[in-house]
Amino acid sequence: MADRGGTEDHREILIINNFMMSNNTIEKSKKYNLQDSITYANGSIVSKIVQKSDSGNITLFAFDEKQNLSEHTAPFDAIIQIIEGKARVIIDGKVYNMLKGECIIMPANIPHAVEATTAFKMLLTMIKE
């Protein structure tokens, strides 16, 4: 995985405010295009909350080329949907090369990581049990 400098867990996360209400979520009852709802930032990972509640969250991400989320675990299953570009998802050491339109479920409590093979956008859905 690409080293961005600093510690392994250092990630610059930027919040983009277009189409967002004051509580940092995309406005309800309004039509929007996921690809157009988030923009890339040079050398960074951008995130935008689509919906967040006690039962789960949906977050839109834009990764610049060669950016990554280092290996980690999460207490709940998470679904990644690629909406633009190409990514590499590693789950328990197995590599999955992902393209626009593809999705994968990352199981709870299993190590996983995400790498940008090109600049790419994804929708991450986590449903809490």
Side-chain angles (χ1 to χ4, degrees):
M1 289 184 199
D3 184 350
R4 298 193 57 227
T7 66
E8 181 179 295
D9 290 330
H10 174 73
R11 293 185 284 281
E12 182 179 359
I13 306 292
L14 304 172
I15 304 298
I16 306 299
N17 290 318
N18 56 335
F19 299 114
M20 299 178 79
M21 297 168 46
S22 61
N23 67 355
N24 201 27
T25 59
I26 291 178
E27 186 176 343
K28 294 179 182 180
S29 300
K30 183 174 181 178
K31 185 174 120 175
Y32 59 93
N33 179 298
L34 286 175
Q35 279 182 271
D36 296 340
S37 296
I38 194 164
T39 57
Y40 296 105
N42 189 30
S44 298
I45 299 169
V46 180
S47 69
K48 179 188 245 183
I49 297 167
V50 175
Q51 182 68 39
K52 185 173 185 170
S53 71
D54 291 340
S55 59
N57 36 297
I58 302 170
T59 308
L60 194 55
F61 287 89
F63 286 64
D64 196 16
E65 186 175 13
K66 298 182 181 177
Q67 297 305 303
N68 70 79
L69 294 178
S70 58
E71 186 175 79
H72 62 282
T73 61
F76 307 103
D77 288 352
I79 302 167
I80 287 179
Q81 297 171 274
I82 307 299
I83 58 173
E84 182 176 285
K86 298 177 185 178
R88 181 176 297 115
V89 176
I90 300 122
I91 302 172
D92 204 21
K94 185 170 181 183
V95 176
Y96 300 88
N97 291 307
M98 306 290 296
L99 303 172
K100 178 182 176 178
E102 296 181 329
C103 63
I104 192 164
I105 299 172
M106 299 180 298
N109 304 311
I110 302 295
H112 56 271
V114 180
E115 302 174 352
T117 53
T118 68
F120 85 100
K121 296 177 182 181
M122 72 176 194
L123 187 67
L124 177 73
T125 305
M126 185 179 295
I127 307 296
K128 299 176 182 178
E129 296 183 71

